[in-house]
Amino acid sequence: MKFGTKAIHAGIEPDPTTGAIMTPIYQTSTYVQESPGKHKGYEYARTQNPTRNVLQNNLAALENGKHGICYSSGLGATDAILKLFKPGDEIIASNDLYGGTYRIMVRVFQEFGLKFNFVDLSDGTKLEAAITPATKMVWIETPTNPLLRLVDIVAIAAITKQHGIQLVVDNTFASPYLQNPLDLGADIVMHSVTKYLGGHSDTVMGAIVLNDDETAQRLAFIQNACGAVPGPQDCFLVLRGIKTLHVRMQRHCENAQKVAEYLQQHPKVSQVHYPGLPSHIGHELAKKQMRGFGGMLSFELKGDSMPEAVRVMESFEVFSLGESLGGVESLCTHPASMTHASIPKEERIKNGLKDTLIRLSVGIEDVEDLIQDLERAID
Ligand code: P1T
């Protein structure tokens, strides 16, 4: 089955009792049992919910994986993965990643004894040197948030496999439409479903897809024990959103490419970070690893003036200033003070994330209006 057909149909059957084509919202906390332990496979909604099950199976199909598990947020999914480890275990993560991921690693799990090493994994030579006998997992984003750096999943997976280390790929920016990390050698793929999968800025959710039965069982145990489950209404909304994922992503990619090309030739713009530009350092890798370049980009203005960057962000009429990404509407974000504020400034600057960086989530509006908005705001 090809991607668009899977998005609409995989794991989804008409409701057995009524024939309803849309998966019902099973809004229940518990399930009636005939006698203690004798039930239809459902006991309590923290453990299982039929609407959630359908979404999990659909997501597993989209990522070409065996098991899908949905969480109350992307960070809920990250939290569950980090709970697979013990004090003393070491995790190597890319040094350009979502600020909340950095925060849960350093401010929560480091307190419980996990060790983290943030490394520039877009430079393939640096991983091998960072691995120690305590290293248990490598965590990457590709493209990264917010600098859109590319990390070579196949090359990293070759190293992690050789050392018996788990490789997790946060596939939020690409979505499964553009990239399937499990096919490239990753062990676990993680999503902030809040973004492209949901697609309509109306739900917060996370997901994990993986093939290994034992790890899936441990994650299911952790989820039931710790409780980060999404509600059935949100699962319904995401199932509905996914039905148009392939169509939305095509337009996100087309629009972002045009916006990036427009910005690149703008006399007031110094740098555009978009993998679809031939000048982007990861362009060749993106062509190999992804099926399109995505809807996210970031840019800097000449002169690196903070008041000027703020003025531009305040001047947009079609782009809305806000956290998040991946919805049908275009958003603009100031990573340094918003999505990545929890990363210490020195660390941010060292990794190339300037105070003046502007991030765009290019929506699926008419691109002429988006370019006109940029023209008006930057001039
Ligand atoms: O917001 P939540 O659903 O918990 O997902 C966290 C998360 C994980 N991974 C990546 C790559 C992300 O971008 C995010 C959330 N990011 C934003 C809110 C943002 O604006 O970048």
Side-chain angles (χ1 to χ4, degrees):
M1 226 187 252
K2 287 201 183 315
F3 191 91
T5 315
K6 278 203 283 190
I8 295 169
H9 294 291
I12 302 167
E13 296 291 340
D15 173 39
T17 50
T18 63
I21 194 157
M22 293 301 290
T23 305
I25 301 168
Y26 285 89
Q27 191 74 50
T28 188
S29 59
T30 193
Y31 307 87
V32 175
Q33 308 195 8
E34 245 176 75
S35 73
K38 192 169 174 210
H39 52 72
K40 297 184 165 71
Y42 294 94
E43 296 161 89
Y44 187 61
R46 178 168 17 81
T47 324
Q48 280 168 323
N49 176 282
T51 318
R52 195 166 98 214
N53 280 358
V54 171
L55 173 60
Q56 293 181 154
N57 291 337
N58 180 257
L59 281 171
L62 295 186
E63 281 292 8
N64 300 330
K66 197 165 162 194
H67 306 283
I69 310 175
C70 288
Y71 293 86
S72 51
S73 68
L75 280 173
T78 302
D79 176 74
I81 296 170
L82 295 175
K83 283 174 179 154
L84 293 169
F85 301 98
K86 297 187 303 299
D89 287 348
E90 235 169 65
I91 290 158
I92 298 172
S94 16
N95 66 352
D96 183 36
L97 80 178
Y98 171 55
T101 307
Y102 176 91
R103 181 178 55 200
I104 193 173
M105 288 176 171
V106 172
R107 305 269 302 275
V108 180
F109 280 91
Q110 203 160 269
E111 299 285 309
F112 288 114
L114 264 60
K115 295 193 175 131
F116 296 93
N117 188 1
F118 297 92
V119 176
D120 179 6
L121 295 176
S122 62
D123 176 348
T125 61
K126 296 206 170 141
L127 176 59
E128 195 87 55
I131 293 172
T132 76
T135 308
K136 292 286 168 7
M137 182 178 82
V138 173
W139 182 288
I140 60 174
E141 283 180 15
T142 179
T144 60
N145 181 2
L147 288 165
L148 283 302
R149 290 187 181 134
L150 265 285
V151 180
D152 190 334
I153 301 173
V154 170
I156 300 274
I159 300 172
T160 54
K161 280 201 172 30
Q162 199 188 333
H163 290 266
I165 299 168
Q166 299 259 319
L167 173 61
V168 179
V169 177
D170 179 339
N171 203 25
T172 300
F173 265 37
S175 90
Y177 178 69
L178 297 179
Q179 177 173 279
N180 292 119
L182 297 180
D183 293 347
L184 302 174
D187 300 291
I188 297 179
V189 54
M190 175 262 153
H191 280 280
S192 170
V193 174
T194 316
K195 312 300 175 348
Y196 288 108
L197 288 162
H200 295 75
S201 309
D202 51 11
T203 319
V204 172
M205 197 189 290
I208 295 171
V209 180
L210 71 165
N211 284 318
D212 183 60
D213 297 336
E214 202 185 312
T215 312
Q217 260 179 21
R218 282 186 64 208
L219 286 166
F221 170 80
I222 290 168
Q223 177 169 58
N224 190 46
C226 300
V229 293
Q233 300 232 18
D234 283 345
C235 293
F236 174 87
L237 284 171
V238 172
L239 274 167
R240 188 164 86 154
I242 286 176
K243 287 182 192 294
T244 56
L245 177 64
H246 49 304
V247 184
R248 286 186 283 109
M249 288 312 298
Q250 284 163 14
R251 181 66 90 89
H252 281 296
C253 292
E254 278 168 33
N255 281 2
Q257 182 75 36
K258 287 184 185 147
V259 166
E261 284 168 8
Y262 167 77
L263 286 171
Q264 195 179 36
Q265 55 75 50
H266 198 291
K268 291 195 176 167
V269 171
S270 61
Q271 273 252 52
V272 184
H273 308 278
Y274 183 64
L277 294 174
S279 57
H280 185 278
I281 191 170
H283 181 65
E284 288 308 314
L285 175 57
K287 278 207 294 199
K288 193 174 79 175
Q289 182 162 281
M290 302 172 74
R291 294 180 284 266
F293 303 113
M296 295 301 298
L297 63 89
S298 52
F299 68 100
E300 287 140 29
L301 296 168
K302 278 187 186 151
D304 268 338
S305 147
M306 193 60 202
E308 185 54 10
V310 170
R311 190 197 62 73
V312 167
M313 288 184 275
E314 287 173 350
S315 310
F316 286 125
E317 287 174 14
V318 181
F319 282 89
S320 302
L321 182 63
E323 308 217 4
S324 204
L325 59 111
V328 290
E329 58 288 290
S330 291
L331 284 181
C332 154
T333 304
H334 179 231
S337 71
M338 296 164 78
T339 51
H340 293 69
S342 45
I343 303 178
K345 183 166 175 165
E346 324 76 71
E347 190 90 356
R348 258 199 300 109
I349 303 283
K350 197 177 75 191
N351 298 334
L353 202 178
K354 293 183 185 170
D355 281 346
T356 47
L357 186 82
I358 299 173
R359 192 189 77 184
L360 300 181
S361 170
V362 181
I364 62 169
E365 300 95 337
D366 289 299
V367 73
E368 295 80 4
D369 291 323
L370 299 179
I371 289 177
Q372 207 175 65
D373 201 32
L374 285 160
E375 201 165 271
R376 194 171 38 222
I378 297 173
D379 269 339

